[in-house]
Amino acid sequence: MAHEDLEIDTDAIQRRMDGAMAALKTEFASLRTGRASASIVEPIMVDAYGQMTPINQLGTVNVPEPRMVVINVWDKGMISKVEKAIRESGIGINPVTDGPLIRLPIPELNEERRRELTKVAAQYAESAKVAIRNVRRDGMDQIKKAKAQGMSEDEQKFWSETVQEMTDKAIAAVDRALEAKQAEIMQV
């Protein structure tokens, strides 16, 4: 077997770790701080026309003021489904329907709710770390396979250290993102 075939695909590993980080950022965006943001409805899927569809594909999402998100639903027949999806999403906001518009008044966060949200943020971060560690494990498994195919000790050590460094960087990025998000949530 040619020596070049024993390369470990660090690009794929990095892509998967970046994917875990991107997913975390999306989850963080859905966590409500005291300010209105269109991203609050991003993760909510609506059962529309026989398939799960994001809200922003069923209407226009606007933030006309700091404590209000407004969704202008294009198909009147979808209004109740969008409203139901929001109620069941667990974001803790009661939609108010007004013709084709669904208004989401963003309540002020109390201390208890802020603490709760920092815990949810921590859970999201932990899931991202688990995903990153799974990618690391897959990388280490690739190295073990390459060892069985004749990869030298030095190369195994090099690739193991490379994968571990990537993992450490990704975990540190998750920790920084979590710290920033928790600070944002606690800021009154």
Side-chain angles (χ1 to χ4, degrees):
M1 177 170 224
H3 170 75
E4 290 76 46
D5 295 344
L6 299 178
E7 290 273 307
I8 302 300
D9 189 353
T10 51
D11 287 350
I13 292 172
Q14 191 60 57
R15 257 197 316 279
R16 289 176 59 201
M17 287 184 179
D18 291 347
M21 193 65 199
L24 177 65
K25 285 195 169 127
T26 303
E27 288 177 321
F28 276 178
S30 73
L31 281 183
R32 206 155 51 74
T33 56
R35 294 182 117 346
S37 159
S39 62
I40 191 167
V41 295
E42 257 171 39
I44 302 173
M45 301 299 267
V46 181
D47 185 358
Y49 315 110
Q51 64 183 22
M52 296 313 278
T53 310
I55 286 180
N56 62 8
Q57 289 180 19
L58 298 170
T60 315
V61 181
N62 287 309
V63 181
E65 52 195 80
R67 308 189 73 73
M68 180 73 67
V69 175
V70 175
I71 304 157
N72 186 355
V73 183
W74 300 316
D75 176 351
K76 287 187 178 64
M78 282 291 128
I79 293 172
S80 63
K81 285 188 171 188
V82 172
E83 197 179 350
K84 180 174 186 260
I86 293 167
R87 281 188 203 286
E88 292 173 355
S89 70
I91 61 172
I93 297 174
N94 270 327
V96 179
T97 305
D98 178 8
L101 300 179
I102 297 176
R103 297 181 199 281
L104 302 178
I106 310 294
E108 189 69 71
L109 293 180
N110 61 25
E111 186 70 20
E112 185 188 338
R113 182 70 180 135
R114 286 178 198 278
R115 281 212 191 84
E116 220 172 273
L117 287 173
T118 60
K119 285 184 190 141
V120 174
Q123 287 166 356
Y124 286 159
E126 196 45 51
S127 298
K129 287 180 185 180
V130 167
I132 289 164
R133 288 188 199 112
N134 288 340
V135 176
R136 175 192 175 277
R137 191 192 56 229
D138 292 348
M140 294 302 184
D141 287 348
Q142 283 178 36
I143 295 165
K144 277 186 200 130
K145 282 189 188 115
K147 175 186 176 183
Q149 295 167 345
M151 179 184 271
S152 74
E153 284 286 325
D154 285 350
E155 281 186 289
Q156 287 169 53
K157 188 173 190 295
F158 167 79
W159 288 114
S160 296
E161 284 170 0
T162 302
V163 170
Q164 187 57 53
E165 257 169 51
M166 294 167 79
T167 305
D168 294 343
K169 270 192 190 144
I171 298 275
V174 168
D175 286 336
R176 281 193 307 274
L178 174 61
E179 222 170 276
K181 187 63 184 183
Q182 288 182 328
E184 183 192 333
I185 291 168
M186 292 312 288
Q187 169 192 330
V188 181

